[in-house]
Amino acid sequence: MNPLQFLLYYRQEDDRMDSATFAVYEEGIAYLERFYIDVQKGQPDHVLRRMFSGFPPVVPLTFIGFVAERRPRALVIFAYLFAVVKEFEDIWWLRSIPEREVQGISSIIPVEWKCMMIWPLHVISTGMPYGEEVSIPVTMCLYHEISLAHSES
């Protein structure tokens, strides 16, 4: 099961996606997917908190650089990470962080990527992360791109 692979394939042309860049994103998404699945399985909160705080040191340093460069794919992956954290933010140092980070990312993400923020924004606004399928944004984005292409022709 790879529920977040769409994050790897959406708008690859935006990232000058050579094999090295692809591998960096692939590793970040793989970690995020393991985290997402462990949250769905109901792993204990202390295990999930450790996974969350382990994200920066585990993913390639290049990925963190992509976030610093504000590359849309890296920012969206980060938004999904914070949305997943919303499920267990009952510890004092996590309170309000998911909302602040997801909203902040949404405010700087390019318009072509806004539709990929549907799920993280839904999660932080409702607190119900798994009521909707995580891959819904890809369907919305594809519909939006097809609509734009049709209106331009």
Side-chain angles (χ1 to χ4, degrees), residues 77-139:
I77 292 167
F78 235 47
Y80 276 69
L81 174 70
F82 282 106
V84 173
V85 168
K86 177 70 177 162
E87 176 75 4
F88 58 92
E89 68 169 345
D90 58 338
I91 191 164
W92 68 267
W93 57 269
L94 275 176
R95 281 192 202 113
S96 302
I97 291 175
E99 292 87 351
R100 185 176 60 237
E101 294 302 320
V102 170
Q103 290 167 348
I105 290 167
S106 183
S107 74
I108 63 171
I109 205 85
V111 69
E112 301 84 14
W113 283 83
K114 289 280 188 192
C115 56
M116 295 303 275
M117 294 296 295
I118 293 169
W119 188 81
L121 288 167
H122 172 75
V123 168
I124 64 155
S125 67
T126 66
M128 298 170 45
Y130 306 113
E132 259 185 65
E133 182 60 38
V134 73
S135 63
I136 284 177
V138 74
T139 305

Side-chain angles (χ1 to χ4, degrees), residues 130-148:
Y130 306 113
E132 259 185 65
E133 182 60 38
V134 73
S135 63
I136 284 177
V138 74
T139 305
M140 300 288 286
C141 287
L142 292 173
Y143 176 77
H144 179 71
E145 285 194 0
I146 290 168
S147 296
L148 283 177

Side-chain angles (χ1 to χ4, degrees), residues 32-56:
L32 177 59
E33 283 179 331
R34 286 190 302 275
F35 184 44
Y36 174 79
I37 290 167
D38 281 352
V39 170
Q40 283 188 316
K41 287 180 178 177
Q43 291 290 341
D45 284 359
H46 72 278
V47 171
L48 298 173
R49 282 189 214 102
R50 188 177 32 207
M51 286 185 77
F52 169 67
S53 59
F55 185 83

